[in-house]
Structures are given as C-alpha cells and as structure tokens.
Amino acid sequence: MAIDLAKCVGCQACSVACSMENTRVPGENWHKVIFMNEGETGTKKFTWYPRPCQHCTEAPCTKVCPVRATRKRKEDGVVLINWYKCLGCRYCVMACPYGVRCYPEVKPLLEPDIKEVYHGRRAKLWDPPYQLSREEQDGKRGTGIPPKGVVTKCTFCAHRTDRKEMTPDRDPVKDRDFTPACVIACPASARYFGDIDNPESEVSKRVERKGAYRLREELGTKPQVFYVK
Ligand code: SF4
Ligand code: SF4
C-alpha cells in the first residue's frame, strides 16, 4: 500500500470505513490517522499520518507469538492472526513498534450498553447492522467479529482482496469489490493498493517517481506501507 501524504487531508474517512467494514467496537481502532507537528515554532509543518498495520516484511509480532497464531502469508506477505489459535497473551501487542494491534477487552463491557441502543438480531448481544457474510467471517484470517480474548488488527481487508488474484493494482472504482475499504473511502484518492514488486503497478511507479519512506525504517522491519513524499 502507498499513501500520498501530500494528498491526505486528515478527514478520517479511511478510519471510519475501516471500522464499519470490519465491524470494530468503539475504542478498537485498526486504523488511526495521527496528527504530527514537526519543526520549530513559527516554521511548523503539519502532517497527517494514516496508520494501518504496516504488514512488515520482518514482522516482530510473528516472532514472539508462542503458538504461531500470527503469521505472514507467503503468497502476498499479508500478516494475519488466526483467532482459533490466539491465546490473548498480548506479546505481539508489545512487540509491534507501530502500535496497531488491539485487544478489545472493552467488548464484554460494551455489550449491555450497545444492547440498550441497538437490540440486535437473532437475540445476539453483539450483532451490528452491517456484517461480513458468513464465509467472509473467517477466524483463521482474523476477519469479521472476533471471539472474546483475542488480539485483532488490520488485515489489508483480506476478505475483500482475497476475492480476486492479485493484479498490479486495485483500482478503487473498477475493482471496488476487491479493494481495501480505506482505499475506496479516501475522498482525496491518497491511497493506492497494489503489488510493489510489479514495476507496472501504480504503487511502485509512485514510490519510484516521487520517493517514499517507511515508518521507523531503522528497526529493519521493512514495512509494506510506503509513505509517498
Ligand atoms: S505493523 Fe505491527 S502488527 Fe503489523 S506486521 Fe508490523 S509488527 Fe506486526
Ligand atoms: S486495509 Fe482494510 S483493515 Fe486495513 S486499514 Fe484499510 S480498511 Fe482497515
């Protein structure tokens, strides 16, 4: 994924779309947009940093998991959590240098309140109006509504992108059904999703043309999210 910081207007549409698409509970934000204030007083430079999981090539979270619940998929490098295996020990939360993992322990506390405002369907306590289809609620990929006591995070919308084999790019209009929700929702078209290893992809062309950096490169995690300058 590439994010053009010069285009980002900080509207948070990506964060809202992410939470809606992935049925997150309040306080469990897979995608924050962080406001950075750089430089000396009077010469300050303001930048918005949208921050999904960086899907690191050398992902520290995968190395600390005692049961290999969190893993990097060989075919596309996406880092996923298997909720059936996750113990909820939260070692991975501590190991992630980008603070993108969530442990939604508030969920059991929220359920009674949510029931008061939204009674749910089929007599379930937590049953929000929009949900992924039954097939796309996949605990092995960490998509959909998680069981209690597991860690969650951005999957690059695996339930959407897995619907079609990877192409150089995912056009948010033409490939709407196969593109991450945050990319579709961005009104400034600041986000690009594609194959960075394919020189024909828009992601790699932009990174090549405009230059880009990755967050905390000094750690050697080699994130797969590129911030275009
Ligand atoms: S950003 Fe954090 S959770 Fe995502 S792959 Fe890297 S270490 Fe793991
Ligand atoms: S790729 Fe999907 S899960 Fe990840 S931040 Fe974007 S909308 Fe959220």
Side-chain angles (χ1 to χ4, degrees):
M1 182 177 284
I3 302 176
D4 191 333
L5 295 179
K7 285 180 156 189
C8 175
V9 292
C11 69
Q12 317 276 337
C14 48
S15 295
V16 175
C18 176
S19 293
M20 294 285 291
E21 173 75 19
N22 293 291
T23 331
R24 298 343 306 165
V25 293
E28 182 198 7
N29 192 344
W30 282 5
H31 181 286
K32 289 188 177 142
V33 181
I34 298 162
F35 183 55
M36 293 282 289
N37 187 348
E38 299 165 274
E40 299 294 319
T41 309
T43 62
K44 282 186 175 162
K45 186 175 166 241
F46 302 109
T47 314
W48 294 101
Y49 275 95
R51 190 200 55 185
C53 170
Q54 306 290 299
H55 294 276
C56 310
T57 307
E58 298 294 333
C61 55
T62 62
K63 295 180 181 150
V64 297
C65 180
V67 291
R68 298 195 176 187
T70 192
R71 70 202 189 285
K72 190 162 183 66
R73 238 177 12 188
K74 278 202 188 95
E75 56 272 34
D76 57 9
V78 173
V79 175
L80 297 171
I81 305 170
N82 184 336
W83 286 332
Y84 298 126
K85 288 187 176 177
C86 179
L87 302 171
C89 69
R90 287 168 273 172
Y91 288 176
C92 58
V93 177
M94 288 182 273
C96 172
Y98 304 102
V100 300
R101 288 184 165 244
C102 302
Y103 183 72
E105 54 194 329
V106 289
K107 188 172 162 189
L109 301 176
L110 283 169
E111 279 174 344
D113 294 336
I114 285 169
K115 193 162 188 239
E116 276 179 23
V117 291
Y118 179 73
H119 293 271
R121 294 164 296 184
R122 300 184 295 275
K124 279 166 111 184
L125 274 180
W126 172 241
D127 192 8
Y130 174 74
Q131 289 184 33
L132 302 185
S133 67
R134 190 178 287 270
E135 309 78 61
E136 289 175 338
Q137 295 215 27
D138 181 3
K140 285 191 181 161
R141 289 182 294 176
T143 59
I145 298 177
K148 287 176 190 164
V150 298
V151 170
T152 69
K153 71 163 193 72
C154 155
T155 62
F156 266 176
C157 282
H159 61 283
R160 298 179 72 87
T161 54
D162 287 356
R163 289 172 187 159
K164 188 180 169 192
E165 283 208 2
M166 195 56 199
T167 43
D169 293 300
R170 288 291 158 85
D171 184 299
V173 177
K174 278 192 290 185
D175 297 322
R176 190 177 174 83
D177 289 345
F178 322 112
T179 302
C182 54
V183 177
I184 298 170
C186 178
S189 303
R191 307 176 76 108
Y192 305 86
F193 189 76
D195 182 357
I196 190 72
D197 294 329
N198 187 328
E200 295 307 312
S201 72
E202 192 58 30
V203 171
S204 60
K205 281 185 198 160
R206 271 185 187 260
V207 168
E208 177 73 25
R209 195 166 63 237
K210 293 185 77 181
Y213 57 91
R214 298 184 279 186
L215 296 183
R216 305 198 66 188
E217 290 195 70
E218 74 281 5
L219 298 176
T221 50
K222 300 183 188 151
Q224 294 196 83
V225 176
F226 293 80
Y227 291 89
V228 177
K229 296 174 201 164

